[in-house]
Amino acid sequence: MDTKTHRHSTIDTEQYSVLAPIPPFVDICLQSISINRREFSQIIARTASYHNGPRMIEMVRKAGDASAKVPYLMNVGEVPGSILSTLRELAQPHLEHIRSLPDKIQATIHLLLSINAVPQGCERYGLAALLEIDRIQGDLVRTLRHYMSGRQLARHFHENLITALQMLDRDWPRLRQGKGPRWPNSPVPLPERSQMHYVPFFNKAGRLLRLHETCVIVDAPDAHELQRFIPPILQRPLPPNVSVPTPGSADWLIREVGKVGRHFTRALLEIIKDHLAAEQVELDSRNYAQINRYAQDALQEYVNKTP
């Protein structure tokens, strides 16, 4: 009963959810980078190459995995305890690295991952801390993708997420028209597209102040299968008898570090990283002054090079 026909039959595009989250960390980036309307359009164009990542992550979180990392490790013989043990082992070198950083950088990373904010007086460290978080998330995901390649259940779960989104995107024009097109009990129109859409807010001078996202998802086809593998400490919401992970712990890092992966934030950080590499500035949080100084130059260089 593991055929594609059987798996696809569990996908019901009529049962969709409209999400309108405010992506974390964009406001932190905007403290160091001034973005106008043209630059915003160029950055959005870059996010188009990232495919369905954010919606897949939202589907996994809606299914109960706050970390969005458990699906990589699903396999016959795995249990929540063994998956948590593997994730803790992968997180340990990154925790040791964070502990080696200057106190103010550590404090900034801790507060960013805990409540999406920079400690008062540490504003100059915000961008450098985000680059550290982005590096950690990227390294963890690359390693987890390697693990997934040998796990049939994990690959099937990922394939079914992709199929579900493809079906939703195909059906969305019909579904949207069938609803009016309005959100239930709301005067706000349903999104014209089911894919991730960005709504910018500029001030009178044309500078980007904040960003909202809108997208449509469906339930993960194999949500019940996934839930068998989620350790209690990574469940969303946390079970009543489980305490919130302590900042600085492995469970805290596993659960929270993926927040940096939102596409707009990811695009900004990649533009900055590319520029730093070209200028031979080491990607080290201790170089926060150079990172902040080069951030705006990175954006200008990217926009000028992009048609």
Side-chain angles (χ1 to χ4, degrees), residues 191-212:
E192 291 187 10
R193 302 193 304 270
S194 52
Q195 296 93 340
M196 188 65 71
H197 176 66
Y198 302 91
V199 182
F201 296 86
F202 296 93
N203 63 16
K204 291 182 179 179
R207 177 174 178 172
L208 182 66
L209 295 178
R210 64 185 188 280
L211 178 73
H212 291 186

Side-chain angles (χ1 to χ4, degrees), residues 68-303:
K69 290 179 171 54
V70 173
Y72 291 101
L73 298 175
M74 294 168 59
N75 204 24
V76 175
E78 294 283 3
V79 296
S82 63
I83 285 177
L84 183 60
S85 177
T86 298
L87 289 172
R88 284 172 170 171
E89 182 178 349
L90 294 179
Q92 195 57 43
H94 299 294
L95 290 171
E96 293 173 3
H97 175 69
I98 291 173
R99 292 172 189 141
S100 73
L101 298 174
D103 290 345
K104 289 189 176 180
I105 292 286
Q106 287 191 56
T108 304
I109 291 173
H110 283 195
L111 208 62
L112 281 171
L113 290 183
S114 298
I115 61 172
N116 304 339
V118 172
Q120 187 173 2
C122 292
E123 290 78 10
R124 71 182 69 179
Y125 306 106
L127 199 54
L130 284 177
L131 288 168
E132 286 284 1
I133 294 169
D134 181 66
R135 181 193 59 77
I136 292 170
Q137 168 70 0
D139 187 76
L140 287 173
V141 169
R142 282 189 294 272
T143 303
L144 288 169
R145 283 176 179 162
H146 175 72
Y147 277 60
M148 184 179 71
S149 65
R151 296 168 182 251
Q152 188 176 46
L153 283 179
R155 294 199 315 273
H156 285 173
F157 185 86
H158 183 259
E159 291 166 2
N160 288 349
L161 290 180
I162 293 173
T163 299
L165 286 173
Q166 290 173 339
M167 293 174 62
L168 173 64
D169 294 344
R170 179 200 65 196
D171 294 349
W172 184 243
R174 172 182 59 82
L175 295 170
R176 183 177 184 271
Q177 291 302 320
K179 295 296 183 181
R182 300 283 176 180
W183 295 28
N185 304 316
S186 172
V188 180
L190 286 166
E192 291 187 10
R193 302 193 304 270
S194 52
Q195 296 93 340
M196 188 65 71
H197 176 66
Y198 302 91
V199 182
F201 296 86
F202 296 93
N203 63 16
K204 291 182 179 179
R207 177 174 178 172
L208 182 66
L209 295 178
R210 64 185 188 280
L211 178 73
H212 291 186
E213 296 176 343
T214 303
C215 68
V216 187
I217 64 171
V218 291
D219 289 343
D222 304 313
H224 292 297
E225 182 78 2
L226 170 64
Q227 288 160 7
R228 296 194 300 110
F229 295 96
I230 305 173
I233 195 65
L234 300 182
Q235 289 177 15
R236 180 191 184 196
L238 279 169
N241 61 333
V242 177
S243 300
V244 175
T246 304
S249 67
D251 296 344
W252 161 83
L253 186 66
I254 296 163
R255 187 180 174 97
E256 303 295 343
V257 72
K259 293 190 295 185
V260 77
R262 308 299 297 199
H263 277 13
F264 192 83
T265 308
R266 176 180 167 191
L268 282 176
L269 295 178
E270 284 188 354
I271 290 168
I272 295 168
K273 287 189 293 185
D274 290 347
H275 184 79
L276 292 174
E279 295 294 327
Q280 297 184 335
V281 177
E282 186 178 358
L283 187 58
D284 188 323
S285 59
R286 296 173 180 85
N287 292 334
Y288 69 88
Q290 286 180 292
I291 289 170
N292 287 336
R293 187 166 63 250
Y294 280 115
Q296 193 68 44
D297 292 342
L299 180 62
Q300 294 300 324
E301 179 187 71
Y302 175 77
V303 171

